[in-house]
Amino acid sequence: MTSTGSPQSITQPDSSADGIAWDLRDLYAGSDDPLIDRDLQTALQRARTFETTYRGKVHVEGGPTPQLLATAMRELESLSEQRDKPLAYASLLHSAQTDDPARGALLSRTHEQATAVNQHLIFFDLEWIQVPDEAARPLIAAPSLSRYSHTLEQKRAWKPHYLSEPEEKIHDEKTITGRAAFVRLFEETTSSIRFPIEHDGRTETLSMQQTLSKLYNPDRAVRKAAAEGLTAGLKENARLLTFIFNNLVLDHQTDCRLRRFPDPMASRHLANEIRPEVVDALMTGAERHTATVQRYYRLKGKLLGLDALYDYDRYAPLFSDMPGCEWETGRRIVQESYEAFSPRAGGIIREFFEKRWIDAEPRPGKRGGAFSSSAVPSVHPYILMNYSGQLRDVMTLAHELGHGLHQYLARPVGYFQCGTPLTTAETASVFGEMLTFRRLLELYPDPRTRLALLCSKIEDGFATVFRQVLLTRFEQSLHKARQERGELTTEQINELWMEANRPMYGDAVRLSDGYGWWWLYIGHFIRSPFYCYAYAFGELLVLALVEKYRQEGAAFVPKYLDLLAAGGSAAPDALLARLGVDVTDPGFWELGLRLLGEMVDQAEELAAKL
Ligand SMILES: [Zn+2]
């Protein structure tokens, strides 16, 4: 799929972040850097040697020696990083300009090469999981393997779900033209759609990101036009996008069946290192608080002076004269809020800005949304976002820098253990947002601005807690329906989407007919099935951590930074226990949910005083 519009014809508003583009030269000098191919070739050569050296040496009577396993793990770690570096670079290049065919081609090539490398490595995990428990346990505990102990343990948790080696190889190789290809088709399709926004007698054609950002416009007519344009663009592409959804849901089901997972969420829970009961308690807990959501939207409707609040009013700014925020100011606010929390954290954040690890300018063809990529631990993370100059962009910047800080601090634990499961992946990002939110409250003492900030924080909290729970419920029903009824039509999925939305909004928000189509652009369903509850987990966890910081003050800071630096070197519940947090207690989620409710109380009080 190539881009359908020429970039020059698109209306591209100026942004104060124009020119803020990342410098990827810490990875490679450019897309034609010969080191890319050299790394790919060397990684492949090393993988072949690895296979010849270690095949048949791990699954042996009594298990391997700690020395042999440690040497093998070190080599595996180093060659995996060499394999991933070109891939990380290519995917950053591609996300910065998805409509450039040369970048798409480089991404494919690095992906294919990485898969070729993996073909020689698959045996290793399979041999390791076959080592009997009594031989594996002392190895996991061996001091010489401490850098890998959690990885070694985690690999074994997947034991019941592995296929045979030839099956794993075929599966892995076919993924390139299967799942991965459909994900890319989705990305390229959604970023090439031009949405027709009809307003004031003229039609603008905007990218998805630009269209979504119009839902935050103070003018209701603009929001309504954006909502209608979004629906129109999605409808236009619904056949292809629905096909991609159906196909990827089926692909996931096939995987679950082949790998003997009892339900579609089970593999995600295992990867998240979380027990299903914990997630159930989180989701049902949130669903018990939908009254908080509805109470808030009724307040918002009143503040906006609307008889009925529609879906396209949910993100409306409360006051039309809210201050915007230029890139330089936003940068300073975020910098200062991290600095005030911890000079060490502040110093790391400064590096991101000064060394140009952030790509912030909006550009046609650039991937929408925002992310922080850990790239490879021997280099450093990179951040992509689309800075349009609103206060909420400042929060996004703080969010992604939280990820960046986390990824940066966890680099020393190494390639295998630096990444966290999704459940705790949002800890530092949401915490960083909270720090910046408080800084913003200090900087803007005017009650109207404070109310607006508070409301936007509440809305963010809703987006990360209630909306993500709702998205997960939708995904559950989508997978169930696909399994029971076979391939689904767009209209059938629209209905599932509306059914998942209604309980949360009740009669406080009117959902227009067009809203039924809005599941079509949500990339999480495509990229990582059942990702969404991790956001709710992260947000509620962070609200509890914020409470701890409030109680403990400066004593909390080093413990928190240690938590980040630990990366994924132990299971989340074990890492959090070090901070005195028990996520396995079903009542734990109530704490964060109540805090969200209290924020709505505060907003009601502030509003009453205006
Ligand atoms: Zn995030």
Side-chain angles (χ1 to χ4, degrees):
M1 170 76 23
T2 51
S3 166
T4 49
S6 111
Q8 289 76 26
S9 68
I10 298 155
T11 317
Q12 185 72 25
D14 287 339
S15 161
S16 57
D18 283 349
I20 306 299
W22 55 27
D23 177 357
L24 297 178
R25 283 176 302 176
D26 288 341
L27 286 163
Y28 294 102
S31 56
D32 53 355
D33 187 340
L35 285 178
I36 297 175
D37 275 314
R38 209 169 76 187
D39 276 339
L40 290 170
Q41 292 309 323
T42 312
L44 185 59
Q45 192 44 53
R46 287 171 79 182
R48 287 199 190 105
T49 310
F50 185 86
E51 185 174 22
T52 350
T53 314
Y54 294 104
R55 186 182 271 283
K57 304 280 168 51
V58 179
H59 180 215
V60 290
E61 185 76 35
T65 63
Q67 292 80 356
L68 179 127
L69 193 57
T71 314
M73 286 300 286
R74 270 195 296 276
E75 173 59 9
L76 189 61
E77 179 177 35
S78 162
L79 84 86
S80 301
E81 188 162 336
Q82 191 167 32
R83 170 203 63 198
D84 283 6
K85 198 174 159 189
L87 187 57
Y89 178 69
S91 71
L92 290 171
L93 272 186
H94 180 253
S95 53
Q97 203 70 61
T98 59
D99 53 4
D100 175 1
R103 295 180 184 213
L106 181 66
L107 182 59
S108 285
R109 193 157 61 83
T110 54
H111 205 134
E112 284 155 26
Q113 282 286 327
T115 307
V117 170
N118 291 347
Q119 295 282 310
H120 298 282
L121 307 177
I122 288 171
F123 82 93
F124 187 78
D125 284 1
L126 291 172
E127 282 201 31
W128 167 242
I129 60 168
Q130 286 175 68
V131 172
D133 285 348
E134 54 286 6
R137 244 177 276 124
L139 288 165
I140 291 169
S144 60
L145 282 156
S146 62
R147 184 176 172 84
Y148 309 110
S149 58
H150 188 61
T151 304
L152 289 170
E153 203 172 13
Q154 261 306 102
K155 284 183 194 295
R156 293 177 66 83
W158 291 86
K159 186 173 176 173
H161 309 292
Y162 267 109
L163 308 173
S164 71
E165 187 178 344
E167 287 169 332
E168 286 291 351
K169 282 185 165 171
I170 294 171
H171 182 277
D172 208 36
E173 202 163 351
K174 295 298 280 181
T175 297
I176 303 176
T177 46
R179 163 164 289 278
F182 280 95
V183 171
R184 192 176 138 195
L185 179 61
F186 177 85
E187 305 283 7
E188 294 191 2
T189 303
T190 49
S191 56
S192 70
I193 301 176
R194 297 295 165 241
F195 297 86
I197 314 298
E198 289 172 38
H199 177 57
D200 262 355
R202 59 190 190 100
T203 305
E204 278 185 297
T205 49
L206 301 182
S207 72
M208 183 182 336
Q209 204 54 39
Q210 293 165 334
T211 305
L212 290 173
S213 83
K214 291 228 180 278
L215 293 174
Y216 294 80
N217 196 285
D219 183 346
R220 194 180 202 204
V222 172
R223 294 197 302 272
K224 188 161 186 281
E228 284 165 359
L230 183 67
T231 306
L234 291 173
K235 270 188 182 172
E236 189 84 5
N237 291 273
R239 207 174 64 86
L240 175 59
L241 295 175
T242 304
F243 181 80
I244 297 174
F245 266 81
N246 268 294
N247 187 49
L248 287 177
V249 170
L250 180 60
D251 180 80
H252 186 69
Q253 273 166 19
T254 308
D255 268 357
C256 290
R257 177 171 48 80
L258 295 174
R259 296 190 181 281
R260 298 169 291 274
F261 282 109
D263 75 83
M265 286 175 89
S267 56
R268 178 63 69 198
H269 294 330
L270 190 58
N272 281 347
E273 301 179 44
I274 207 78
R275 292 205 311 269
E277 312 83 87
V278 174
V279 179
D280 285 342
L282 159 72
M283 289 184 43
T284 50
E287 285 163 340
R288 273 198 298 272
H289 286 257
T290 47
T292 303
V293 179
Q294 294 168 21
R295 190 154 62 89
Y296 173 73
Y297 281 116
R298 272 192 281 272
L299 171 70
K300 179 150 189 175
K302 220 184 294 171
L303 286 167
L304 290 172
L306 300 173
D307 289 337
L309 188 86
Y310 274 85
D311 48 83
Y312 50 79
D313 297 318
R314 286 172 303 160
Y315 308 116
L318 284 183
F319 310 110
S320 53
D321 54 349
M322 279 297 288
C325 193
E326 301 266 295
W327 166 258
E328 278 306 321
T329 312
R331 167 187 166 158
R332 203 189 62 237
I333 293 169
V334 172
Q335 175 69 54
E336 286 168 358
S337 54
Y338 276 97
E339 196 93 40
F341 174 70
S342 146
R344 183 164 165 237
I348 295 166
I349 299 303
R350 191 174 295 279
E351 271 192 79
F352 275 82
F353 290 115
E354 288 175 357
K355 298 184 176 169
R356 296 180 53 208
W357 299 346
I358 304 175
D359 197 281
E361 66 174 1
R363 280 190 301 273
K366 178 173 166 176
R367 216 198 93 156
F371 66 79
S372 176
S373 160
S374 59
V376 283
S378 60
V379 184
H380 54 75
Y382 278 102
I383 286 172
L384 176 144
M385 69 170 298
N386 291 272
Y387 194 93
S388 64
Q390 327 251 331
L391 278 177
R392 72 191 163 84
D393 294 323
V394 182
M395 302 293 279
T396 305
L397 179 62
H399 179 103
E400 297 310 333
L401 278 166
H403 283 305
L405 175 68
H406 200 168
Q407 290 160 343
Y408 182 101
L409 284 170
R411 290 180 306 160
V413 291
Y415 175 86
F416 287 125
Q417 301 197 151
C418 61
T420 62
L422 297 177
T423 32
T424 43
E426 297 297 334
T427 310
S429 54
V430 180
F431 193 87
E433 269 190 67
M434 198 55 110
L435 296 174
T436 298
F437 169 65
R438 293 185 164 180
R439 181 90 189 116
L440 286 170
L441 280 187
E442 284 164 20
L443 292 169
Y444 296 90
D446 161 56
R448 292 170 80 242
T449 312
R450 287 174 69 88
L451 177 62
L453 281 168
L454 185 61
C455 289
S456 91
K457 191 69 196 143
I458 291 169
E459 288 174 21
D460 285 348
F462 285 5
T464 32
V465 177
F466 299 106
R467 178 170 158 86
Q468 303 304 323
V469 168
L470 172 170
L471 295 182
T472 307
R473 284 285 181 234
F474 164 71
E475 219 176 352
Q476 284 176 323
S477 65
L478 173 64
H479 282 258
K480 187 161 175 283
R482 177 73 180 83
Q483 191 157 35
E484 289 170 357
R485 293 190 254 161
E487 187 158 322
L488 302 165
T489 63
T490 311
E491 289 73 16
Q492 284 172 320
I493 306 179
N494 289 356
E495 189 41 44
L496 296 175
W497 171 246
M498 293 303 268
E499 278 168 20
N501 274 273
R502 281 184 202 112
M504 171 159 142
Y505 294 115
D507 59 4
V509 179
R510 292 219 190 137
L511 302 175
S512 48
D513 289 343
Y515 185 75
W517 302 74
W518 288 21
W519 54 275
L520 278 164
Y521 72 86
I522 301 174
H524 282 116
F525 301 143
I526 297 297
R527 286 189 289 272
S528 358
F530 299 104
Y531 185 107
C532 295
Y533 76 75
Y535 281 116
F537 186 107
E539 175 86 19
L540 292 176
L541 172 65
V542 169
L543 289 174
L545 292 181
V546 166
E547 188 56 30
K548 282 211 158 289
Y549 177 40
R550 191 153 65 184
Q551 288 162 8
E552 298 175 15
F556 173 84
V557 177
K559 287 190 286 182
Y560 174 77
L561 293 178
D562 283 349
L563 171 76
L564 301 192
S569 57
D573 48 359
L575 289 176
L576 289 163
R578 295 180 200 167
L579 282 131
V581 167
D582 181 9
V583 292
T584 63
D585 170 9
F588 170 75
W589 307 107
E590 276 298 306
L591 181 62
L593 289 161
R594 271 205 306 269
L595 282 171
L596 281 173
E598 282 167 24
M599 286 165 80
V600 176
D601 297 341
Q602 285 168 21
E604 284 175 336
E605 284 161 26
L606 261 175
K609 285 183 198 152
L610 284 185

